[in-house]
Amino acid sequence: MPALGLGTWQNEDPDQCAESVRTALEMGYRHIDTAQIYGNEEAVGRGIAAADVDREDIFLATKVWIDSLEYDDVLETTAESLDRLGTDYLDLLYVHWPARTYDPEETLPALEELREDGVIERIGVSNFEPEHIETAQEVLDAPLFANQVEIHPLLQQQRLREFCDENGVELVAYSPLARGDVFGNEVLSDIADDHGVSEAQVSLAWLRQHGLTAIPKATGEGHIADNLASLELSLSESELSRIDDIDDEQRFVDPDFGPDAW
């Protein structure tokens, strides 16, 4: 899984979404993330088709929404996602939240069937806390590959990071720029100034150097390029420690159906 991907949440204008995906891929991105609930899978598929990049070189992920997590619904809606995306397989399929129709004994075997049939290559979950992951790993025979959650320097999720590391689960950070709030943080701004880069690049480099994958949303060519440039940024141990020491707990995604542990 490439360490940097293009997130597409709220990229709702079909033409803009398709163009941002095409631009990102031709610029060098190889990881595209979407979801059924985003309503843009068809546009993402158009962007992939328009890009001069082979499908086999792209890591493509989507997520099954919480109304469609019963066994048959997972199979049906995944087929619909594939049709909208214009592909015959997914590199990663996530359970979007452990909520509403989610039942580990119903939902997860459906994902295993999709994996056995070659429809998906990896099984993922999103917004899972340690107790949800433990249950999922007990139910699954196949490996649980990744957990996609909100992580950024202002919500560092240390407990969850340690748990996933100990249990062999990759972490994928959504909202890795804290909905733009990283630009107002003094520590990040000072480090960015020292390197002559943006606070966004500093935040993404911090995530990458901690072994986390990030999927920042970007629509314009400038922001897409700036985020990609974070792969060239290397932070020192002292700079990483300064960011680690940011004492903040800003959670931007907290729906009423989110885990009680939050």
Side-chain angles (χ1 to χ4, degrees):
M1 178 170 59
L4 182 71
L6 180 73
T8 61
W9 180 71
Q10 288 191 332
N11 196 345
E12 296 168 349
D13 179 276
D15 292 337
Q16 180 186 63
C17 181
E19 180 61 16
S20 62
V21 170
R22 184 198 66 78
T23 298
L25 289 171
E26 295 193 345
M27 198 176 284
Y29 284 73
R30 291 296 179 267
H31 180 177
I32 305 295
D33 182 89
T34 184
Q36 293 173 355
I37 196 63
Y38 297 172
N40 62 11
E41 287 178 322
E42 185 174 356
V44 168
R46 285 201 288 118
I48 291 171
D52 189 21
V53 177
D54 291 341
R55 167 67 184 92
E56 292 73 19
D57 295 331
I58 301 168
F59 190 97
L60 178 60
T62 193
K63 310 174 198 71
V64 182
W65 187 238
I66 60 177
D67 290 337
S68 302
L69 293 171
E70 294 182 1
Y71 189 95
D72 290 340
D73 290 340
V74 171
L75 303 181
E76 181 179 344
T77 62
T78 300
E80 292 167 352
S81 289
L82 291 172
D83 185 58
R84 288 189 292 266
L85 288 162
T87 185
D88 57 5
Y89 74 98
L90 295 165
D91 297 271
L92 176 58
L93 181 65
Y94 295 98
V95 174
H96 207 148
W97 292 84
R100 207 163 295 167
T101 61
Y102 176 69
D103 177 347
E105 299 286 348
E106 276 272 320
T107 305
L108 299 174
L111 272 73
E112 285 197 305
E113 179 176 329
L114 291 168
R115 182 175 179 271
E116 290 167 3
D117 291 345
V119 176
I120 67 175
E121 295 193 345
R122 300 165 185 83
I123 295 171
V125 294
S126 185
N127 301 296
F128 274 42
E129 290 290 289
E131 58 268 28
H132 302 115
I133 294 172
E134 286 180 334
T135 300
Q137 289 185 316
E138 289 170 3
V139 171
L140 286 167
D141 291 323
L144 179 60
F145 178 73
N147 183 24
Q148 184 180 131
V149 296
E150 180 181 352
I151 307 179
H152 43 72
L154 310 184
L155 182 69
Q156 299 194 11
Q157 299 267 41
Q158 186 63 35
R159 171 176 168 264
L160 182 60
R161 285 163 51 195
E162 291 174 358
F163 178 87
C164 287
D165 185 58
E166 291 168 0
N167 286 272
V169 178
E170 298 282 341
L171 272 174
V172 179
Y174 70 70
S175 297
L177 307 182
R179 303 287 177 88
D181 275 23
V182 297
F183 293 97
N185 182 271
E186 184 176 349
V187 172
L188 298 173
S189 294
D190 286 348
I191 295 172
D193 289 344
D194 288 343
H195 287 273
V197 299
S198 68
E199 292 91 338
Q201 288 191 39
V202 172
S203 300
L204 295 173
W206 174 80
L207 288 162
R208 186 189 77 249
Q209 289 181 237
H210 278 305
L212 309 177
T213 296
I215 50 167
K217 184 192 82 170
T219 54
E221 184 174 349
H223 286 152
I224 292 171
D226 187 68
N227 292 341
L228 184 63
S230 70
L231 295 175
E232 305 300 320
L233 176 62
S234 180
L235 302 176
S236 68
E237 288 300 319
S238 63
E239 288 170 331
L240 291 172
S241 294
R242 288 174 63 193
I243 299 171
D244 290 344
D245 289 340
I246 293 174
D247 186 16
D248 215 333
E249 197 75 13
Q250 294 189 44
R251 186 182 294 278
F252 293 90
V253 180
D254 191 12
D256 58 8
F257 53 76
D260 294 337
W262 291 2

